[in-house]
């Protein structure tokens, strides 16, 4: 059977780690004494990693590297060490390691041992894995705001992902996270039975994960009369390879926030020492939520980004911020499938033409 | 002179046995001659191993470096580390939930939910040897588990009580004792209690009232942890037989099911204001018949056992305090982050940040030392841990005192308000510190063995016979020499830690010279000079802690642990502060006038004690 056919023949619903490893096992069992064809096999297998959803699995990469024969590829004399010994094979190994690096899979000592047993100590491929083993662990936690151990290799549902994303974005360590559900009203309150209401709740209840800190609540209390609050979104943020959409509750920029690059502060000017040294500067300075363009008063991730759920979120926040009931709230949400709805008529017309 | 004071003196002056390992090996209890032969043989083996390979602190004090000690010990297999982490996570979450269910303060004892958690997770079997139904975990594993249960100090001390009794049985008990009691301790059928302190009015060793006369034990013991619930007692009693002139003291094992016509009564419960679940009682033993088979060990080993109880196993105390402080830091930071003052969080206040930073630094040093020691013991890389145990104990004291200050600085008036967790933490810390040996004892346990090793290994000559003046004229004293690098410790660590390694080497060099001066100037009198002992103990402690912090930060940064850059910062900060402190101390040691003035500070205390209070006249007093 052609190498590519081994991977292509598996139907899409059956493509997983087990079947991928089975394909590797089939190749290994059918090998002849000369062990040819493994470079072609590996190059083909690399193309199907994402389709089998094993591109982030370390065991799969180890299984691929184990396809290389151990021993014959190790250089035995100086000339072989100077010139790239078995260049095709080394390049193939480096491609596998590149794929691993691109998918952010950190090799361990076993990977290093496998590569050294295949190619020897100081070859092109071994240098690659040494560099990977040195740099990748060092850069693993370069994002200080996210503990990737909470995300990688875990089957997180949307709610857990939402909480992690909000925690990553919230720079106020006092932020509290709450989970709520937006329950739609039945169309006819009087006629809806209890079962009908419950059924509707099951079908249509939308979850909301909200993040707000005590400092933000204080800012809402201090907002002047007639202020307007805005619910903007969805914006998106990446939590490793997961895309999370969130919305922001904000107000206009706080009066008196100065642009620090405009104002000149001469730190060594002591002419006004009595005034400058004794001011309670901490309380006058803006806090982390008072930005130049807006004042951020809350963040949330909604199950579905639409006006109704955003309104439900505002109601949820009003329970802890009674001041919000006195203020105007403007919801500026771009609904999911907004673009699709915008061009719905044109798309329908195009489909009819095709038919 | 009180019994405790006598014991402390005996601890400080005698050489504590070098082999202090609590490992899986259970040796047959040897009789006196066999044990002495074994000790002599061990000493022979020991003397062939260089001092820097036997004891980290002694090696550093002698300006000798062993590069293996710069490798922070770790689990060789990732699976082992993951296994213990999962187990600890489970214990931590279950214990946390159990502590929230019912307050132990009100119950006055460990609640049923806490006991259920401990039993379900097999905590009591973790330190019992495998052949007696336990798991016999290694020191690192035990340190992790103690850190998890240390979130509540009462729980830890209850478990530690059982662990102490287990260790005594393993090392000193007969095979029959071990076979009978160790499986029961592992399965919690046996609840041991250690009865060491005699009635407070009769504290002298000679005037112990608890005695075995004609095979019958009578007496009273105080400060017995878990005395009310115990069914196995380890009792220190005077043993006077009619044919012997001098009374001996021995440790006895008493099973509550074998009391015969005698009885054990709980006379009184010591109502402490913290650690209320600890159940500290006063027990009265009446007419209990004891035979030789009930003796835990011979009279010669009595002091050794007492030393074990008072000053060994401090790494577990250290681990428990780490767990306690970590939980406390979570509570304090949550409070500081959620409380709003003006336009900012309380956590943005510099005072709060400084207080939390101090506590964090102390915790970092303590945690580094504890796991460093535990790892070295697991790998059998060191033989002597007497000084290191006392270093851990001193750090525990310091960290807990800092915890009190941090709570007060951060929480303020709420720290004393009932209903909030902080006031219970303050009470628990206060009671815990009062149960421990005073810091002065640990200071002596560090300083005196260090001096002894230094004198033995450098072959120090009596100053009366040394041509010092000529030597100083020709070579100058070592104070005037710049500390030169001899070991190049920085080559074994990451470049970010090069400065810290250099500082450690400089401290080692200066200290070696300072010890020469102190021996020259004070001689044997130094054991009675508190400032000299404090100085020596502080420098030894700083050296050891610097080594542990550098090794830890080096490992973390090289393997890329999260927040490794913060660890590097903390290690560098600590090493800088420790180096400056050690430098000042060495300068003080060289300055004989300053040192002797410092040593006379205790005269101020003596004057106040004699006067019954502060004896200085008020500033407005007139004389005519």
């Amino acid at each position: 059977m052609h190498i590519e056919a081994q991977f292509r023949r598996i139907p899409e619903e059956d493509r997983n780690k087990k079947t991928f490893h089975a394909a590797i096992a089939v190749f290994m069992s059918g090998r002849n004494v000369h062990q040819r064809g493994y470079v072609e096999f590996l190059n083909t297998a690399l193309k199907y990693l994402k389709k089998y959803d094993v591109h982030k699995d370390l065991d799969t990469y180890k299984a691929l590297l184990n396809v290389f024969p151990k021993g014959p590829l190790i250089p035995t004399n100086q000339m072989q060490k100077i010139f790239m010994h078995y260049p095709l094979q080394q390049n193939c190994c480096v491609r596998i390691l590149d794929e691993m690096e691109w998918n952010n899979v950190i090799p361990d000592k076993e990977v290093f041992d496998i590569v050294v047993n295949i190619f020897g100590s100081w070859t092109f491929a071994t240098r690659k894995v040494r560099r990977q083993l040195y740099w990748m662990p060092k850069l693993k936690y370069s994002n200080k705001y996210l503990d990737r151990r909470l995300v990688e290799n875990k089957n997180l549902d949307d709610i857990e992902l939402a909480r992690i994303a909000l925690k990553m974005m919230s720079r106020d360590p006092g932020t509290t996270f709450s989970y709520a559900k937006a329950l739609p009203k039945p169309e006819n309150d009087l006629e809806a039975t209890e079962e009908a209401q419950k059924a509707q709740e099951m079908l249509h209840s939308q979850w909301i994960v909200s993040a707000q800190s005590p400092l933000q609540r204080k800012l809402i209390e201090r907002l002047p009369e007639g202020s307007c609050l805005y619910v903007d979104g969805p914006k998106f943020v990446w939590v490793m390879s997961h895309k999370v959409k969130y919305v922001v509750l904000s107000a206009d920029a706080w009066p008196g926030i100065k642009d620090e690059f405009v104002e000149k502060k001469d730190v060594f000017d002591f002419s006004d020492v009595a005034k400058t040294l004794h001011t309670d500067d901490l309380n006058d300075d803006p806090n982390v939520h008072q930005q130049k363009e807006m004042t951020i008063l809350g963040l949330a991730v909604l199950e579905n980004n639409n006006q109704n759920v955003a309104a439900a979120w505002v109601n949820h926040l009003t329970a802890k911020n009674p001041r919000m009931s006195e203020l105007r709230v403007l919801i500026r949400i771009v609904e999911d499938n907004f673009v699709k709805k915008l061009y719905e008529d044109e798309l329908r017309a195009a489909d009819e033409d095709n038919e | 002179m009180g019994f405790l004071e006598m014991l402390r003196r005996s601890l400080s002056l005698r050489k504590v046995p070098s082999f202090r390992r609590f490992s899986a090996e259970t040796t047959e209890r040897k009789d006196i001659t066999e044990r002495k032969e074994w000790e002599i043989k061990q000493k022979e083996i020991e003397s062939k191993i260089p001092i820097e390979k036997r004891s980290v602190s002694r090696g550093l004090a002698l300006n000798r470096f062993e590069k293996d000690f710069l490798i922070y010990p770790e689990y060789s297999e990732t699976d082992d580390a993951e296994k213990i982490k999962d187990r600890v996570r489970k214990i931590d979450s279950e214990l946390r939930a159990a502590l929230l269910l019912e307050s132990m303060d009100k119950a006055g004892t460990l609640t049923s939910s806490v006991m259920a958690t401990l039993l379900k997770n097999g905590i009591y079997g973790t330190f019992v040897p495998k052949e007696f139904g336990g798991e016999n975990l290694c020191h690192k594993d035990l340190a992790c588990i103690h850190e998890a249960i240390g979130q509540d100090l009462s729980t830890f001390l209850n478990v530690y009580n059982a662990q102490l009794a287990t260790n005594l049985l393993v090392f000193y008990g007969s095979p029959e004792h071990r076979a009978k009691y160790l499986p029961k301790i592992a399965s919690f059928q046996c609840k041991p209690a250690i009865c060491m302190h005699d009635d407070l009015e009769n504290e002298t060793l000679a005037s112990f009232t608890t005695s075995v006369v004609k095979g019958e034990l009578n007496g009273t013991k105080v400060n017995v942890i878990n005395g009310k619930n115990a069914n196995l007692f380890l009792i220190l009693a005077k043993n006077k037989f009619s044919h012997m002139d001098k009374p001996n003291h021995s440790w006895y094992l008493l099973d509550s099911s074998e009391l015969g016509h005698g009885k054990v009564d709980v006379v009184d419960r010591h109502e402490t204001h913290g650690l209320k679940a600890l159940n500290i009682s006063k027990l009265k033993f009446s007419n209990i018949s004891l035979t030789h088979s009930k003796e835990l060990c011979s009279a010669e080993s009595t002091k050794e056992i007492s030393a074990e109880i008072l000053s060994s196993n401090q790494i577990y105390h250290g681990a428990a305090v780490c767990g306690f402080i970590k939980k406390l830091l979570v509570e304090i930071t949550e409070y500081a982050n959620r409380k709003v003052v003006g336009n900012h969080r309380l956590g943005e206040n510099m005072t709060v940040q400084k207080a939390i930073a101090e506590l964090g630094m102390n915790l970092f040093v303590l945690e580094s030392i504890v796991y460093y020691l535990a790892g070295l013991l697991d790998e059998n890389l060191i033989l002597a841990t007497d000084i290191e145990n006392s270093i851990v104990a001193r750090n525990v004291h310091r960290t807990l005192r800092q915890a009190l200050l941090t709570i007060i600085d951060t929480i303020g008036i709420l720290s004393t308000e009932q209903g909030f967790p902080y006031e219970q933490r303050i009470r628990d810390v206060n009671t815990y510190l009062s149960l421990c040996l005073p810091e002065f004892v640990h200071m002596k346990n560090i300083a005196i063995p260090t001096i002894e090793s230094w004198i033995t290994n450098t072959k120090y000559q009596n100053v009366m016979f040394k041509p010092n003046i000529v030597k100083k004229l020709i070579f100058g004293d070592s104070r005037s020499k710049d500390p030169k690098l001899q070991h190049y410790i920085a080559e074994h660590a990451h470049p970010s830690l090069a400065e810290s390694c250099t500082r450690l080497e400089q401290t080692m060099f200066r200290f070696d010279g300072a010890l020469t001066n102190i021996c020259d100037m004070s001689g044997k009198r130094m054991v009675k000079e508190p400032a000299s002992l404090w100085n020596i103990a502080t420098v030894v402690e700083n050296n050891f802690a610097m080594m542990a912090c550098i090794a830890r930060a080096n490992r973390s940064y090289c393997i890329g642990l999260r927040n490794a850059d913060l660890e590097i910062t903390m290690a560098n900060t600590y090493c800088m502060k420790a180096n400056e402190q050690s430098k000042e101390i060495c300068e003080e040691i060289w300055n004989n006038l300053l040192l002797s003035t410092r040593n006379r500070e205790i005269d101020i205390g003596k004057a106040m004690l004699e006067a019954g209070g502060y004896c200085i006249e008020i500033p407005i007093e007139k004389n005519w």
Side-chain angles (χ1 to χ4, degrees):
Chain A
M1 193 191 297
H2 192 262
I3 295 167
E4 191 134 356
Q6 282 179 26
F7 293 99
R8 218 181 317 128
R9 72 189 171 103
I10 310 281
E12 278 196 31
E13 56 272 15
D14 291 334
R15 287 181 182 182
N16 51 39
K17 181 176 170 178
K18 203 172 164 189
T19 45
F20 193 88
H21 282 245
I24 298 175
V26 162
F27 174 78
M28 297 284 278
S29 60
R31 280 166 96 152
N32 56 21
V33 68
H34 300 291
Q35 299 186 7
R36 289 200 186 104
Y38 51 86
V39 174
E40 290 80 9
F41 172 79
L42 289 169
N43 285 332
T44 312
L46 279 177
K47 283 193 265 182
Y48 283 88
L49 278 175
K50 270 212 173 102
K51 290 177 185 165
Y52 278 72
D53 197 26
V54 287
H55 54 290
K56 289 193 180 289
D57 179 47
L58 183 61
D59 290 336
T60 306
Y61 289 105
K62 286 180 189 170
L64 287 175
L65 288 170
N66 272 322
V67 171
F68 283 103
K70 313 273 187 311
L73 307 180
I74 298 175
T76 50
N77 59 47
Q78 285 296 337
M79 291 304 288
Q80 286 174 354
K81 281 179 193 169
I82 293 167
F83 295 100
M84 203 193 223
H85 196 49
Y86 283 102
L88 213 60
Q89 284 77 356
Q90 288 210 41
N91 283 330
C92 178
C93 181
V94 167
R95 259 198 296 275
I96 296 173
L97 295 171
D98 276 341
E99 191 69 26
M100 196 194 290
E101 192 175 331
W102 186 250
N103 289 306
N104 226 344
V105 178
I106 298 176
D108 56 11
K109 196 159 182 314
E110 198 185 333
V111 170
F112 174 76
D113 291 339
I114 294 170
V115 173
V116 164
N117 286 336
I118 297 166
F119 292 106
S121 289
W122 284 104
T123 54
F124 181 54
T126 322
R127 281 203 187 97
K128 167 76 186 171
V129 81
R130 277 179 197 274
R131 279 186 223 112
Q132 269 183 302
L133 264 175
Y134 181 81
W135 284 112
M136 288 188 80
K138 282 205 184 337
L139 300 171
K140 192 173 171 185
Y141 297 110
S142 47
N143 182 355
K144 283 186 173 306
Y145 307 117
L146 173 68
D147 187 353
R148 52 188 277 168
R149 288 170 294 189
L150 298 172
V151 181
E152 63 184 356
N153 298 326
K154 287 208 163 61
N155 290 326
L156 295 174
D157 61 14
D158 291 340
I159 297 170
E160 286 163 349
L161 214 52
R163 193 187 183 286
I164 292 171
L166 289 173
K167 193 164 167 26
M168 188 176 78
M169 288 188 291
S170 302
R171 292 295 85 233
D172 186 340
T175 305
T176 49
F177 304 92
S178 52
Y179 170 79
K181 275 201 166 177
L183 301 175
K185 276 189 194 165
E187 281 181 17
N188 192 339
D189 279 343
L190 296 171
E191 289 175 6
T193 60
E194 206 177 294
E195 286 98 0
Q197 280 185 7
K198 275 189 185 161
Q200 205 172 16
E201 281 167 20
M202 292 285 289
L203 281 173
H204 297 293
S205 59
Q206 311 274 304
W207 56 258
I208 301 164
V209 180
S210 171
Q212 194 179 46
S213 72
L215 197 48
Q216 285 170 319
R217 281 186 217 120
K218 194 83 180 277
L219 286 171
I220 292 177
E221 280 172 36
R222 289 167 55 195
L223 281 171
E225 287 285 335
S227 295
C228 187
L229 301 175
Y230 309 99
V231 177
D232 294 312
K235 306 174 195 237
F236 69 86
V237 67
W238 289 96
V239 178
M240 291 188 75
S241 54
H242 305 277
K243 188 173 169 181
V244 177
K245 290 183 185 171
Y246 66 96
V247 295
V248 181
L249 176 72
S250 61
D252 292 327
W254 209 265
I257 302 289
K258 291 169 192 160
D259 191 347
E260 59 186 87
F261 295 106
V262 173
E263 210 179 85
K264 254 192 201 169
K265 280 183 186 178
D266 189 0
V267 227
F268 302 103
D269 178 16
F270 289 107
S271 53
D272 213 3
V273 63
K275 192 177 168 193
T276 49
L277 284 186
H278 290 285
T279 49
D280 192 7
D281 51 356
L282 196 63
N283 278 328
D284 293 342
D285 284 349
N287 59 46
V288 68
H289 305 293
Q290 290 168 312
Q291 298 289 310
K292 248 190 323 187
E293 299 86 19
M294 61 168 93
T295 306
I296 301 163
L297 301 169
L299 296 172
V301 174
L302 313 177
E303 186 178 354
N304 280 315
N305 292 294
N306 57 47
Q307 302 276 341
N308 294 328
V309 183
W313 178 45
V314 170
N315 290 336
H316 171 68
L317 288 177
T318 310
K320 285 196 178 161
N321 301 278
R323 183 85 167 74
M324 279 175 68
S325 53
E326 300 164 22
L327 303 169
R328 292 169 297 165
V329 180
L330 189 59
I331 298 176
R332 305 187 291 204
I333 297 276
V334 175
E335 295 195 4
D336 290 338
N337 301 320
F338 174 73
V339 172
K340 199 174 169 185
K341 277 185 195 163
L342 205 59
Y343 295 102
E344 211 171 54
D345 294 334
E346 280 89 346
L347 286 169
R348 203 182 306 123
D351 286 339
E352 281 167 8
D353 286 343
N354 285 341
E355 279 167 16
Chain B
M1 191 191 303
F3 163 67
L4 276 180
E5 181 54 38
M6 283 285 293
L7 200 56
R8 284 163 204 163
R9 280 170 174 250
S10 68
L11 284 176
S12 53
L13 290 173
R14 63 184 277 280
K15 188 173 156 76
V16 180
S18 303
F19 282 88
R20 188 68 63 239
R21 253 176 293 157
F22 303 106
S23 62
E25 300 144 18
T26 51
T27 54
E28 293 285 320
R29 191 180 84 150
K30 300 166 176 27
D31 66 11
I32 308 301
T33 46
E34 261 190 66
R35 198 171 170 82
K36 280 193 175 158
E37 278 172 20
W38 176 76
E39 277 186 13
I40 292 166
K41 203 177 166 188
Q42 292 301 329
K43 274 185 192 167
E44 270 177 38
I45 298 169
E46 210 181 304
S47 59
K48 289 176 188 160
I49 304 170
I51 186 72
E52 62 271 21
K53 289 189 196 248
R54 276 185 271 148
S55 169
V56 182
S57 313
R58 288 176 170 91
L60 292 173
L62 283 157
N63 196 13
R64 293 181 199 178
F65 174 67
E66 175 54 42
K67 63 176 175 6
D68 287 342
F69 289 144
L70 205 57
I71 302 169
Y72 203 81
E74 58 177 0
Y75 287 98
S76 48
E77 299 293 327
T78 315
D79 291 339
D80 292 339
E82 290 302 317
K83 201 166 132 197
I84 189 65
K85 273 164 60 182
D86 288 338
R87 186 172 180 180
V88 160
R89 214 172 289 134
K90 183 168 171 277
I91 295 171
D92 184 69
S93 57
E94 285 177 13
L95 190 58
R96 208 172 285 265
L99 289 167
L100 285 171
L101 270 177
E102 195 187 336
S103 160
M104 288 203 289
D105 264 11
K106 287 180 189 155
T109 183
L110 289 188
T111 55
S112 49
S113 45
V114 168
M115 283 311 308
T117 306
L118 294 176
L119 293 172
K120 196 172 84 166
N121 288 289
I123 302 290
Y124 287 97
T126 53
F127 38 79
V128 173
K130 275 188 187 147
E131 51 266 42
F132 299 111
E135 293 176 62
N136 196 38
L137 298 181
C138 66
H139 294 291
K140 286 197 295 291
D141 286 352
L142 280 175
C144 293
I145 288 179
H146 281 297
E147 192 179 319
I149 61 175
Q151 55 179 290
D152 179 64
L153 291 175
S154 308
T155 313
F156 160 70
L157 284 170
N158 265 293
V159 171
Y160 179 70
N161 202 38
Q163 184 179 356
L164 202 51
T166 307
N167 286 339
L168 294 177
L169 281 168
V170 165
F171 280 94
Y172 301 100
S174 65
E176 294 79 32
H177 287 151
R178 290 199 285 260
K180 187 175 176 189
Y181 295 116
L182 289 179
K184 287 185 182 173
I185 292 178
S187 57
F188 200 59
Q189 289 171 348
C190 210
K191 292 157 226 161
I194 296 176
C195 312
M196 192 163 94
H197 305 282
D198 218 50
D199 203 337
L200 286 168
E201 288 173 6
N202 298 298
E203 268 284 317
T204 61
L205 208 60
S207 63
F208 250 27
T209 55
T210 309
S211 54
V212 178
V213 179
K214 291 180 185 172
E216 274 205 355
L217 170 74
N218 282 288
T220 314
K221 288 292 183 189
V222 297
N223 295 343
V224 179
I225 293 177
N226 205 26
K228 189 179 166 195
N229 302 323
N231 52 13
L232 177 71
F233 302 93
L234 284 87
I235 310 167
L236 175 64
K238 197 164 60 174
N239 183 1
K240 190 167 168 92
F241 292 101
S242 55
H243 62 279
M244 289 177 75
D245 297 328
K246 257 170 75 173
N248 277 314
H249 294 82
S250 289
W251 281 89
Y252 293 93
L253 265 179
L254 176 62
D255 195 336
S256 60
S257 59
E258 295 167 7
L259 290 176
H261 57 274
K263 54 180 181 163
V264 179
D265 295 314
V266 179
V267 173
D268 198 12
R269 181 183 162 150
H270 189 57
E271 289 294 339
T272 53
H273 79 303
L275 300 180
K276 286 188 188 295
L278 213 48
N279 221 318
I280 304 175
S281 324
K282 182 177 178 178
L283 300 180
K284 186 175 177 187
F285 300 94
S286 319
N287 303 325
I288 297 170
S289 60
L290 288 179
T291 57
H292 267 294
S293 62
K294 295 250 164 75
E295 241 182 270
L296 180 62
C297 65
S298 61
E300 278 84 359
S301 302
T302 301
K303 279 190 181 169
E304 214 174 287
I305 293 180
S306 309
E308 284 283 325
I309 292 167
L310 286 175
S311 50
S312 65
N313 275 334
Q314 293 296 320
I315 51 171
Y316 304 123
H317 281 265
V321 168
C322 285
F324 178 79
I325 298 292
K326 281 181 186 175
K327 186 177 175 188
L328 180 68
L329 273 172
V330 166
E331 289 169 356
I332 292 177
T333 49
E334 196 181 316
Y335 177 82
N337 285 330
R338 299 239 168 117
K339 184 152 174 64
V340 175
V341 177
N343 199 31
H344 296 274
R345 295 175 289 121
L346 178 63
E348 291 180 61
N349 185 307
M350 272 195 300
T351 318
V352 169
Q353 287 173 350
K354 179 87 171 53
I356 291 175
E358 289 286 343
L359 186 58
M361 279 296 303
N362 278 306
L363 175 60
F364 174 71
V365 174
L366 178 63
E367 195 183 39
S368 304
I369 291 172
V370 162
Y371 284 93
Y372 184 61
L373 253 184
L376 290 177
L377 284 169
D378 284 337
E379 291 175 18
N380 292 328
L381 280 175
I382 49 170
L383 302 179
T385 54
D386 50 344
I387 297 179
E388 286 79 8
N389 267 314
S390 295
I391 289 173
V392 172
R394 266 190 107 197
N395 272 280
V396 161
H397 268 255
R398 186 173 308 119
T399 308
L400 288 175
R401 285 201 298 267
Q402 183 58 46
L404 289 176
L405 290 173
T406 302
I407 293 173
I408 292 163
D409 279 343
T410 311
I411 313 293
I413 188 73
L414 278 180
S415 63
T416 53
E417 208 164 294
Q418 288 201 349
F420 281 88
Y422 315 109
E423 61 88 25
Q424 192 198 337
R425 306 276 177 265
I426 291 176
R427 286 189 282 114
D428 284 350
V429 166
N430 199 2
T431 310
Y432 184 92
L433 284 172
S434 57
L435 286 173
C436 297
L437 281 179
E439 206 191 325
F440 187 72
V441 174
H442 294 297
M443 192 183 75
K444 283 172 82 171
N445 287 347
I446 297 170
I448 292 169
T450 305
I451 296 164
E452 187 194 338
S453 294
W454 186 85
I455 290 170
T456 317
N457 283 277
T458 55
K459 297 184 176 46
Y460 173 77
Q461 281 179 301
N462 191 326
V463 68
M464 308 303 279
F465 304 118
K466 269 197 297 193
N468 265 351
I469 297 166
V470 173
K471 191 179 166 191
K472 276 185 187 170
L473 279 173
I474 298 171
F475 298 109
D477 60 30
S478 57
R479 176 174 49 165
S480 60
K481 292 181 191 163
D482 286 331
K484 284 198 175 60
L485 299 183
Q486 287 173 261
H487 311 290
Y488 300 97
I489 300 175
E491 287 181 9
H492 302 280
H494 193 272
S496 314
L497 293 161
E499 261 312 307
S500 300
C501 293
T502 309
R503 289 191 175 110
L504 172 61
E505 250 193 275
Q506 286 172 353
T507 312
M508 285 159 64
F509 180 87
R510 288 190 194 105
F511 189 48
D512 195 29
L515 278 178
T516 314
N517 190 59
I518 213 171
C519 289
D520 285 347
M521 297 315 298
S522 304
K524 286 183 193 169
R525 288 189 302 251
M526 74 174 98
V527 297
K528 291 192 177 134
E529 293 173 354
S532 306
L533 293 177
W534 187 89
N535 285 342
I536 294 170
T538 304
V539 178
V540 171
E541 184 190 327
N542 285 346
N543 283 350
F544 182 71
M546 280 202 276
M547 182 75 132
C549 292
I550 290 171
R552 180 187 177 176
N554 185 41
R555 173 182 170 266
S556 299
Y557 200 74
C558 288
I559 64 175
L561 290 185
R562 194 162 177 241
N563 292 324
D565 50 344
L566 188 60
E567 272 191 62
I568 294 270
T569 308
M570 288 171 95
N572 283 335
T573 308
Y574 175 74
C575 288
M576 190 171 68
K577 280 166 66 172
N579 176 54
E580 287 306 312
Q581 187 185 33
S582 301
K583 196 171 159 186
E584 273 178 34
I585 286 172
C586 291
E587 285 295 326
E588 189 180 296
I589 293 175
W590 278 110
N591 187 336
N592 301 316
L593 179 63
L594 181 57
L595 187 63
S596 58
T597 311
R598 283 277 318 274
N599 279 321
R600 286 203 299 275
E601 274 175 4
I602 57 169
D603 294 341
I604 301 169
K606 280 184 195 166
M608 293 200 191
L609 282 163
E610 279 165 22
Y614 183 66
C615 52
I616 308 298
E617 298 297 329
I618 59 170
I620 57 170
E621 183 63 54
K622 288 176 75 114
N623 210 18
W624 65 88

